Amino acid sequence: MTRHPPLLSRPLSTHRPRRPLGTRHPLGTRHPRRLLRSLAVLAGALLLAGGLTSPVAARPAAAAPPPVLHVEGNRLVGPDGAAHRLLGVNRSGGEFACVQGWGVFDGPVDDASVKAIADWNANTVRIPLNEECWLGTANIDPRYRGAAYRTAVDGLVQRVQAHGMTPILELHWTHGRYTGNSAGCHDVHASCQKPMPGAAHTPAFWTSVANTYKSDPEVVFDLFNEPYPDRATPTTAQAWACWRDGGTCPGIDYEVAGMQDLLDAVRGTGARNLVLAAGIAYSNDLSGWLEHAPHDPAGNLAAAWHVYNFNACADESCWNRTLAPVADRVPLVAGEIGENTCSHGFVDRVMKWFDDRRLSYLGWTWNAWDCSSGPALIRSYDGTPTPFGIGLRDHLRALDT
């Protein structure tokens, strides 16, 4: 979802710049394949942030690690071949706090707050990111960019894994000036959702992320949050061509990086992590996904989809018509589900449709916002649910996954 409560709707205390949260587990207790990654991230932080490190905290007893997932037909499976569903929440903040200049995350991402997610019986946390903050472009406050940002993100990734959950790293906000239909902002910088990622920075972002996590295949990559080239191009066919191939797209002034470009950037590093690619119309339209799916030499690509009660494809007839054919061919992950009613009647229907087909879904969002201003799952970071969040929490706890 591209919307969140504006700065002025949050308590004034959240506007103050914060030191990046990055409490880490002692490196020696992590899985061996993450040791080099952790050392590299830490070394980069020391060099680029003038000695910034994250405090070391006592690590709780670790849960079983999340599985390394791969695509087998239309299922996600673990190393033992057992089918696996990604079920959980989104943890918004990493896409906007840094570019707005007041932090890395919105609210705590310490061990207690991550454990509260796991206590809902979630097994997945999707983490939205900002490409300029990750890459460290000059427009971002030095306290929240580059190595400092990457260290904070990696700390959250490690805590999610320590509680047995799969982290999904997702690119939410990107560089590129877009002033056309449905523009979220006119800023060239990564301060809002753009219709497509740009060639200027996004391939470099995914090369960096993939290099960081290619030795940690538990981490999943979600290439781009909510593409909407269909709002810029004259025809849907042009939108799907732009989605896959990028380049010069009608109605978009900057050079676009298509899904094939981004997947190539990931695989060019040798990373074989599971990758998600979301459709057009803010990820709500998968009608052309099978025809335009990028080629993945690793064979580890799944389709992503988003749905809210106010979307065009928001009923079972549309899901049966457009989602079911995709789910018959490839794994389907509803990366965001939600409703703006501060209740859960709509997402109950979504979850039932996905449960009946043993598919994956993640609620938006694990942020302590007023659910009347948007789909917020919690009242506080101890996991106290909103009326909307009660539906997801109770459903996850009742599932036999």
Side-chain angles (χ1 to χ4, degrees), residues 44-261:
L46 290 169
L47 288 171
L48 297 179
L52 174 66
T53 60
S54 301
V56 175
R59 181 173 181 241
V68 175
L69 297 173
H70 68 275
V71 171
E72 186 176 280
N74 67 345
R75 305 184 307 159
L76 297 176
V77 301
D80 59 357
H84 184 82
R85 303 169 70 195
L86 296 169
L87 301 167
V89 303
N90 286 263
R91 180 62 180 90
S92 182
E95 73 273 36
F96 61 82
C98 57
V99 73
Q100 292 171 358
W102 52 270
V104 174
F105 297 111
D106 179 32
V109 291
D110 56 6
D111 186 75
S113 67
V114 175
K115 180 181 183 298
I117 299 174
D119 287 345
W120 278 29
N121 203 34
N123 67 18
T124 304
V125 179
R126 183 170 176 261
I127 304 169
L129 300 179
N130 183 300
E131 70 179 16
E132 290 185 332
C133 301
W134 180 278
L135 293 172
T137 57
N139 56 297
I140 306 298
D141 188 312
R143 292 169 294 179
Y144 313 126
R145 75 183 184 208
Y149 181 84
R150 295 191 298 269
T151 298
V153 169
D154 190 57
L156 177 55
V157 167
Q158 292 198 39
R159 285 187 285 281
V160 167
Q161 291 172 310
H163 284 281
M165 297 183 289
T166 295
I168 299 178
L169 294 180
E170 172 264 313
L171 179 55
H172 214 84
W173 284 3
T174 55
H175 179 276
R177 190 184 304 279
Y178 174 69
T179 61
N181 186 26
S182 300
C185 63
H186 292 180
D187 186 5
V188 69
H189 293 298
S191 58
C192 67
Q193 177 73 40
K194 305 298 171 66
M196 284 294 293
H201 292 304
T202 310
F205 168 88
W206 277 116
T207 295
S208 176
V209 172
N211 271 322
T212 302
Y213 291 100
K214 65 184 178 181
S215 297
D216 190 359
E218 295 170 1
V219 179
V220 176
F221 303 149
D222 189 345
L223 294 177
F224 187 61
N225 176 46
E226 291 186 343
Y228 60 97
D230 48 296
R231 298 297 181 96
T233 60
T235 69
T236 301
Q238 289 173 311
W240 278 110
C242 176
W243 178 86
R244 182 187 61 200
D245 300 328
T248 302
C249 296
I252 301 176
D253 292 337
Y254 56 89
E255 184 179 359
V256 168
M259 294 296 158
Q260 187 66 64
D261 297 318

Side-chain angles (χ1 to χ4, degrees), residues 347-360:
V347 294
D348 288 347
R349 289 169 46 208
V350 175
M351 291 187 290
K352 182 183 186 307
W353 196 91
F354 274 66
D355 287 341
D356 289 346
R357 293 157 181 82
R358 306 295 292 172
L359 303 175
S360 303

Side-chain angles (χ1 to χ4, degrees), residues 6-22:
L7 279 175
L8 293 180
S9 73
R10 289 198 292 270
L12 290 177
S13 63
T14 67
H15 300 178
R16 294 193 300 269
R18 305 173 186 169
R19 177 175 56 83
L21 300 172

